[in-house]
Amino acid sequence: MSVSEFDIIDSYFNISGLASEQSGQAGNIALGIGDDCALISVAEGHQLAVSMDVLVADVHFPSTAKPELIARKALAVNLSDLAAMGAVPVGFTLGLTLPNANPQWLTAFSDGLRIAAQKYSCPLIGGDMSKGPMAISIQVHGTVKIDKAMCRTGARPGNLVFVTGLLGEAGLGLDLVQGRLAHRTLSVRETQVLESAYYLPEPRIEFAQALSGLASSAIDVSDGLLADLGHIARSSGVLIKVSADKLPVSPLVQKIISHESALEKALSAGDDYELIFTLAADNVSALESISEKTGLNCTCIGEVQEGSGVICLDKTGNQIETESAGYNHFL
Ligand code: ADP
Ligand code: MG
């Protein structure tokens, strides 16, 4: 890079609205960008929740995608992991590998990152940079009350299974972004909705915080509903039964593709970043008030039983075989 790493940090990353204010500010960040480490304070009775996602160009997003959208997605998918634990965002670190220091790209990327950092009150507190093929690693830090984190291990027979929002739009959005779904078949609004679903997932942070202490387990949908439910089933040592006809498949997706393909998207496409969680039946009315208060719909899609694995049943109780078990980078 012709400009120095430090110039880039000062111009695009250590900036107001994106980076945490410097030392001495209120809140958890005691020291942000500029020293060898950032310092995070954790209030008594809380734990630090840490998660990282690596996004590689042309694996997780097209390298030609708008830098602002790449940035927003990169932070949002990380925040979705904090949400899945019921944690409150505190700050994030950024590992950025770029083939060159293109000022237009960096400006747009930094703008996108600032929008997401402000929206979710999660400032940038440090990072690292290197020249190489484009990749973005973000590590988020959050806090959660001790014993209140929603782990994958807590699902119990008799629990009900819920999912927030709608399923399938991000999966179809990816088809659109990758050219498998033709733009000309869609209205401008439909294109916008699908692209946003893929690039701008909404981490369910507020909802998840209200849910922690209520749900017995939770995970976010990043690899596909069945694959992610599989993680809960395995970690908890239970069987999860999903009723296909109860799934909140996006009406827009159902309008654009066949019923079977829409169902397949809802079950197996990743990227929706909705929350799936299990809950004792006694807690359903408390869940309904959280849903009302946060304005986020959630749908009961199945139940937990003794056994192992995940099965999906149609209306008549027959098992539906699906093609994909979620995205796996090394298969
Ligand atoms: P070191 O050599 O000790 O790793 P660096 O020179 O890489 O430190 O970084 C100097 C400071 O700038 C550190 O506080 C680091 O966290 C921060 N930093 C480096 N790269 C980034 C980045 N891409 N975004 C935000 N902060 C960064
Ligand atoms: Mg460094």
Side-chain angles (χ1 to χ4, degrees):
M1 297 185 189
S2 53
V3 286
S4 87
E5 193 182 321
F6 302 103
D7 293 337
I8 295 175
I9 295 166
D10 284 343
S11 306
Y12 302 104
F13 297 116
N14 196 7
I15 57 171
S16 169
L18 171 56
S20 63
E21 303 304 323
Q22 282 314 307
S23 57
Q25 75 167 61
N28 299 74
I29 307 302
L31 185 62
I33 293 175
D35 215 311
D36 296 311
C37 291
L39 297 173
I40 302 176
S41 308
V42 181
E44 199 171 340
H46 289 70
Q47 290 170 319
L48 198 59
V50 179
S51 179
M52 170 179 253
D53 269 310
V54 178
L55 278 78
V56 178
D58 296 324
V59 177
H60 298 94
F61 60 87
S63 48
T64 51
K66 289 188 183 134
E68 180 188 319
L69 296 180
I70 299 171
R72 290 176 68 177
K73 178 163 175 136
L75 186 52
V77 302
N78 273 278
L79 289 168
S80 179
D81 282 320
L82 286 185
M85 295 299 275
V88 183
V90 164
F92 73 101
T93 46
L94 169 69
L96 191 58
T97 311
L98 292 175
N100 52 53
N102 175 334
Q104 279 86 32
W105 194 95
L106 281 162
T107 302
F109 183 81
S110 165
D111 282 347
L113 215 49
R114 189 173 51 207
I115 290 170
Q118 284 181 337
K119 182 169 181 191
Y120 302 110
S121 304
C122 188
L124 181 60
I125 60 171
D128 199 19
M129 290 196 46
S130 178
K131 186 170 177 169
M134 189 191 296
I136 298 140
S137 308
I138 285 184
Q139 184 165 40
V140 281
H141 304 80
T143 58
V144 61
K145 277 196 186 133
I146 289 175
D147 293 333
K148 285 288 192 300
M150 299 186 288
C151 298
R152 298 177 181 186
T153 46
R156 295 292 172 262
N159 284 176
L160 300 172
V161 182
F162 287 83
V163 66
T164 56
L166 298 174
L167 296 168
E169 286 180 2
L172 197 58
L174 179 61
D175 284 352
L176 184 64
V177 165
Q178 293 186 333
R180 286 189 301 271
L181 175 68
H183 276 269
R184 63 186 155 68
T185 60
L186 307 174
S187 72
V188 173
R189 194 196 71 86
E190 288 168 348
T191 300
Q192 230 169 28
V193 171
L194 294 182
E195 285 185 354
S196 297
Y198 175 68
Y199 279 118
L200 303 173
E202 190 65 55
R204 301 305 190 183
I205 292 167
E206 191 196 355
F207 181 91
Q209 277 160 34
L211 194 65
S212 75
L214 201 68
S216 54
S217 72
I219 192 168
D220 60 328
V221 184
S222 57
D223 295 335
L225 182 93
L226 292 181
D228 290 314
L229 277 174
H231 296 308
I232 292 187
R234 219 173 3 264
S235 301
S236 299
V238 295
L239 165 68
I240 294 181
K241 275 190 181 167
V242 175
S243 304
D245 60 311
K246 291 188 185 162
L247 291 176
V249 185
S250 153
L252 175 61
V253 173
Q254 298 194 60
K255 182 186 157 220
I256 298 170
I257 57 179
S258 71
H259 177 74
E260 290 72 30
S261 307
L263 184 61
E264 181 69 30
K265 283 268 177 277
L267 290 170
S268 305
D271 287 306
D272 280 318
Y273 294 98
E274 294 296 347
L275 282 184
I276 329 171
F277 54 95
T278 58
L279 188 87
D282 291 352
N283 289 335
V284 169
S285 58
L287 174 65
E288 280 164 2
S289 33
I290 293 173
S291 183
E292 211 167 292
K293 213 169 66 194
T294 55
L296 177 60
N297 266 339
C298 53
T299 311
C300 181
I301 59 167
E303 60 187 29
V304 181
Q305 295 186 355
E306 283 188 21
S308 63
V310 179
I311 54 174
C312 183
L313 304 173
D314 68 14
K315 236 189 280 190
T316 56
N318 291 323
Q319 195 169 334
I320 297 175
E321 299 297 336
T322 59
E323 277 176 23
S324 144
Y327 192 77
N328 187 318
H329 285 279
F330 293 102
L331 288 184

